[in-house]
Amino acid sequence: MRLYFEVARRSFQRHLTYRVATLAGLFTNAVFGIFFSSVYRAFYQDGERGVVADFTLPEILTFVWIGQSLLMLVYLWNWWEVADSIRTGDVVSDLMKPMDFQLYWLSRDLGRASCHWLTRFVPTFAMGALLFDLAWPGTISTWLAFFISVNLAILVSFGWRFLLNLSAFWLLDVRGINTIAVLVLNFFSGLLVPIAFFPGWLRTVAEWLPFRAIVMVPVEVFLGQRTPQSALLIQAFWVVALRLLGQVVLNAAVRKLVVQGG
Amino acid sequence: MITARGLSKSYWVARHRRGALGAMRSLVDRSGREVRAVRDISFDVAAGEIVGYVGPNGAGKSTTIKMLTGILVPTAGEATVAGYVPWNQRKSLASKIGVVFGQRTQLWWDLPLIESLELLRFVYRVPVDRFQANLTEMRSLLDLDPFLETPVRQLSLGQRMRGDLAAAVLHEPPLLYLDEPTIGLDVVAKARVREFLARINRERGVTILLTTHDLADVEHLCRRMIIIDRGRLLYDGSVEALRQRHGSHRTLVVDLEAGATIDGFVRDGVELVRADGPRRWLRFDREAVSAASLISSVVARAPVVDVAIEEPAIEDIIRGIYEGGLRAEPAVSE
Ligand SMILES: Nc1ncnc2c1ncn2[C@@H]1O[C@H](COP(=O)(O)OP(=O)(O)OP(=O)(O)O)[C@@H](O)[C@H]1O
Ligand SMILES: [Mg+2]
């Protein structure tokens, strides 16, 4: 266990040093947050809509800002560190070490996420709270449930990203997969539009996929639209399922391992 | 320590396709060709030996080592290493072996060397006191102190290699695999690596299997060498025997003037092994004949435009064995 803690700690420290990337990221989050907030505000106010699919205007603005704050925390797109190590062959020395390969990468990701809690989530959310009128939870326990739910979202997201990365054992080039993954995630995580806004059949599809557990479920917990118990059930299910699936796929990959280069 | 029986590995090289669509098509269409990287190789390595595992590029050296670490599953054959079947018990074997791939690093690129070594302590669960003792020893043997705090990505190749060597032995493995540990190093760094390896072999009894393209590594370190080419085992025996059979010969290459000939030239310890146009290859025993006297006797016989002397390189020896068995051809590449 000590190894994984030490790995996470170093990853945390490393990510703390990426100051320019952090500032650039915060700026982008702010731009998109303000843009989406303005669009939704116009949509609600000009149409004189009070409630759309269960969302009031402050609630939809909260949805927008949580989404922006979560983006980097759950690392929704473009995480290919494992795939890169497979492509370069560096994966060999990691697989040769007597450690749990998936746990090792999870530790790195949790170290990164702990950093992004501080450097990305908190500042982005604070920006949204200062600039717009958001909907706040009434109780401490909702805050707590939200905190837990976001951490579970990180685990679900990791499980998914890890699986995706393992495809590099079979495919020399993951760019194609990446394009599809970004599309699917933007949509089915509920980042762009709340899943409650989807037409009926599409909503059913979204509910059977793991992606809503990454963005939509924490938002629903924050807004009190979903009980903590139901959120926990959905997210814990996907954490376990993806971890097991990751293990199965990893074992298959190692069995037929073809490491690139000499 | 190592027993390999009939080890074979074939790679399936799929046809390469570009782009997203290509990637999808590669999933269904598995056409390609087979590369037989290692074919039916058997050998044993006893505890305490240092064995040189050599062969030309693409011979299958790295592939063999990867199988013996358990990272590659062979297509056929069996092996036990330190009592384990590598590809079935990779994790258990991991703490019994140290591995250095000269072309890669097992250190973390963005961490200072010392941090990488400390992480490895947790990976291998080395007790603190053993770790400290080993670290102290490595620091002096490999002279790590000047760059202990430097991030690995900023280390020179030689420094990184020393760091990797330290990383490979910190958990005190009884067996060490080294795949080109001297690649790209200058003479001083090479000497230091060799000295280090000789020392841990002598003092700790570490068994070493080593691949290299530098015959000097083998000459300095190994009593025994295994030669492979195109996946096949060509030679397994003492370095001394090999050198006596092939290494004591040099080749004089002479370019004669147009129309000149030295046919019928006879001298003890000299053999005309090849003729091509005006060029002649004369293999001579360096103990029996001096190069100077050979040149002058050739020049006395026919007008010569140019001369060159070729030492038997490792590749020549390998090729010699491959092509001519024990009758070493001084295969000269043009
Ligand atoms: N991942 C791979 N996929 C397909 N073919 C491979 C792969 N790795 C190695 N090969 C092929 O297997 C053969 C043996 O390669 P290997 O790397 O074992 O050689 P080597 O003896 O280590 O060579 P070098 O001295 O150049 O390092 C080569 O023909 C190589 O092209
Ligand atoms: Mg090699």
Side-chain angles (χ1 to χ4, degrees):
Chain A
M1 263 355 252
R2 181 70 191 275
L3 165 69
Y4 303 107
F5 172 75
E6 294 291 336
V7 167
R9 189 166 68 80
R10 283 169 173 84
S11 165
F12 174 85
Q13 286 166 344
R14 178 160 57 92
H15 280 276
L16 266 189
T17 62
Y18 299 159
R19 299 215 178 82
V20 178
T22 302
L23 287 178
L26 287 176
F27 178 72
T28 314
N29 289 143
V31 169
F32 275 96
I34 292 169
F35 171 73
F36 282 120
S37 298
S38 312
V39 170
Y40 275 114
R41 194 151 60 182
F43 174 73
Y44 272 74
Q45 286 172 350
D46 297 354
E48 287 173 0
R49 295 180 177 87
V51 180
V52 181
D54 270 355
F55 282 81
T56 64
L57 178 58
E59 283 171 339
I60 204 78
L61 296 180
T62 309
F63 154 82
V64 167
W65 285 96
I66 292 183
Q68 288 302 315
S69 313
L70 277 184
L71 253 187
M72 199 59 207
L73 185 50
V74 298
Y75 219 132
L76 209 52
W77 316 307
N78 301 335
W79 183 78
W80 292 105
E81 286 183 25
V82 184
D84 288 344
S85 85
I86 295 167
R87 191 173 39 77
T88 61
D90 286 346
V91 70
V92 174
S93 53
D94 288 335
L95 285 172
M96 234 143 37
K97 289 170 184 141
M99 62 184 188
D100 183 321
F101 184 73
Q102 193 181 352
L103 262 188
Y104 163 75
W105 281 102
L106 176 62
S107 315
R108 287 181 63 141
D109 201 52
L110 290 182
R112 173 203 63 75
S114 319
C115 176
H116 285 154
W117 261 113
L118 302 173
T119 60
R120 301 298 295 271
F121 185 91
V122 172
T124 308
F125 207 23
M127 251 185 316
L130 285 176
L131 296 174
F132 295 90
D133 200 6
L134 304 185
W136 299 100
T139 63
I140 295 284
S141 63
T142 308
W143 277 104
L144 192 69
F146 174 68
F147 179 74
I148 293 171
S149 181
V150 171
N151 283 317
L152 286 169
I154 296 166
L155 294 179
V156 175
S157 150
F158 171 80
W160 166 251
R161 283 178 281 134
F162 184 73
L163 261 180
L164 218 52
N165 271 261
L166 291 184
S167 67
F169 277 112
W170 287 272
L171 304 174
L172 289 183
D173 185 356
V174 292
R175 273 173 298 184
I177 298 266
N178 187 39
T179 313
I180 299 167
V182 169
L183 199 76
V184 168
L185 274 166
N186 279 347
F187 201 63
F188 285 108
S189 67
L191 175 77
L192 290 183
V193 181
I195 288 174
F197 284 31
F198 289 11
W201 63 274
L202 207 56
R203 193 155 60 202
T204 314
V205 174
E207 276 162 10
W208 281 96
L209 294 174
F211 311 115
R212 67 174 170 148
I214 300 174
V215 177
M216 205 62 231
V217 170
V219 172
E220 290 167 347
V221 169
F222 191 86
L223 295 175
Q225 294 175 348
R226 179 181 294 283
T227 63
Q229 291 87 335
S230 126
L232 182 74
L233 209 67
I234 297 169
Q235 294 185 299
F237 169 78
W238 284 115
V239 170
V240 174
L242 289 172
R243 154 95 201 180
L244 293 179
L245 198 57
Q247 215 50 42
V248 170
V249 174
L250 178 63
N251 289 343
V254 172
R255 267 276 136 193
K256 70 174 297 279
L257 176 62
V258 172
V259 183
Q260 301 309 315
Chain B
M1 192 59 89
I2 302 176
T3 317
R5 289 288 171 275
L7 269 191
S8 303
K9 176 73 193 179
S10 298
Y11 292 107
W12 186 254
V13 184
R15 254 175 64 203
H16 190 68
R17 292 199 173 81
R18 297 184 164 276
L21 259 180
M24 301 309 268
R25 275 182 64 194
S26 307
L27 278 179
V28 269
D29 177 6
R30 307 252 86 192
S31 63
R33 68 198 166 80
E34 190 185 34
V35 176
R36 296 171 69 191
V38 171
R39 314 189 207 182
D40 193 22
I41 285 194
S42 305
F43 61 85
D44 296 284
V45 176
E49 269 192 290
I50 305 188
V51 177
Y53 196 66
V54 304
N57 289 129
K61 303 180 296 295
S62 299
T63 302
T64 311
I65 290 204
K66 283 175 190 160
M67 287 191 282
L68 293 178
T69 61
I71 198 71
L72 269 185
V73 185
T75 320
E78 288 158 21
T80 53
V81 176
Y84 298 105
V85 176
W87 45 92
N88 290 335
Q89 296 156 291
R90 183 163 45 88
K91 290 259 169 67
S92 316
L93 179 61
S95 54
K96 301 274 177 248
I97 58 176
V99 187
V100 174
F101 285 114
Q103 321 217 26
R104 313 189 178 292
T105 180
Q106 63 158 322
L107 305 166
W108 282 266
W109 281 111
D110 31 54
L111 293 181
L113 175 59
I114 183 70
E115 297 250 327
S116 272
L117 298 179
E118 271 165 11
L119 267 188
L120 287 168
R121 164 165 104 73
F122 298 114
V123 171
Y124 292 99
R125 296 168 198 219
V126 184
V128 170
D129 52 335
R130 292 303 311 145
F131 175 79
Q132 286 304 346
N134 286 330
L135 183 61
T136 311
E137 191 180 343
M138 291 314 137
R139 276 164 58 183
S140 72
L141 277 184
L142 292 163
D143 193 17
L144 301 178
D145 285 349
F147 50 91
L148 259 186
E149 304 291 338
T150 312
V152 170
R153 76 169 71 253
Q154 292 170 18
L155 295 181
S156 77
L157 191 57
Q159 293 171 334
R160 207 216 71 212
M161 201 72 84
R162 273 138 74 194
D164 257 300
L165 283 170
V169 299
L170 274 176
H171 59 288
E172 306 175 9
L175 172 62
L176 211 49
Y177 295 123
L178 304 162
D179 194 357
E180 306 190 34
T182 55
I183 188 168
L185 301 192
D186 67 37
V187 263
V188 181
K190 272 185 184 177
R192 173 175 258 138
V193 167
R194 285 173 197 147
E195 194 191 324
F196 171 76
L197 295 177
R199 186 131 168 202
I200 58 165
N201 171 258
R202 196 172 58 233
E203 289 175 6
R204 298 186 170 198
V206 176
T207 311
I208 296 175
L209 183 65
L210 159 102
T211 85
T212 181
H213 288 292
D214 186 347
L215 185 58
D217 288 341
V218 176
E219 286 174 327
H220 278 91
L221 289 169
C222 312
R223 221 173 269 143
R224 173 177 162 207
M225 85 198 272
I226 296 174
I227 303 178
I228 64 166
D229 187 17
R230 292 172 234 186
R232 288 212 185 81
L233 190 130
L234 299 182
Y235 178 84
D236 179 355
S238 83
V239 177
E240 202 41 49
L242 191 74
R243 198 181 1 232
Q244 291 206 330
R245 212 147 50 194
H246 307 277
S248 66
H249 290 96
R250 291 191 286 178
T251 304
L252 176 72
V253 186
V254 293
D255 286 349
L256 303 174
E257 248 174 36
T261 175
I262 54 167
D263 296 347
F265 175 82
V266 195
R267 195 173 154 180
D268 267 357
V270 181
E271 189 185 353
L272 178 68
V273 287
R274 195 170 158 205
D276 187 3
R279 185 167 289 185
R280 299 288 181 277
W281 283 263
L282 295 161
R283 191 161 66 99
F284 64 99
D285 190 328
R286 72 171 82 204
E287 269 130 40
V289 183
S290 82
S293 77
L294 178 59
I295 292 171
S296 50
S297 58
V298 171
V299 170
R301 201 177 165 94
V304 167
V305 181
D306 199 4
V307 298
I309 292 174
E310 290 175 350
E311 298 286 337
I314 180 72
E315 268 83 11
D316 298 335
I317 293 181
I318 292 164
R319 208 171 335 170
I321 294 169
Y322 183 70
E323 288 169 352
L326 301 181
R327 208 180 54 79
E329 298 279 349
V332 175
S333 52
E334 302 196 89

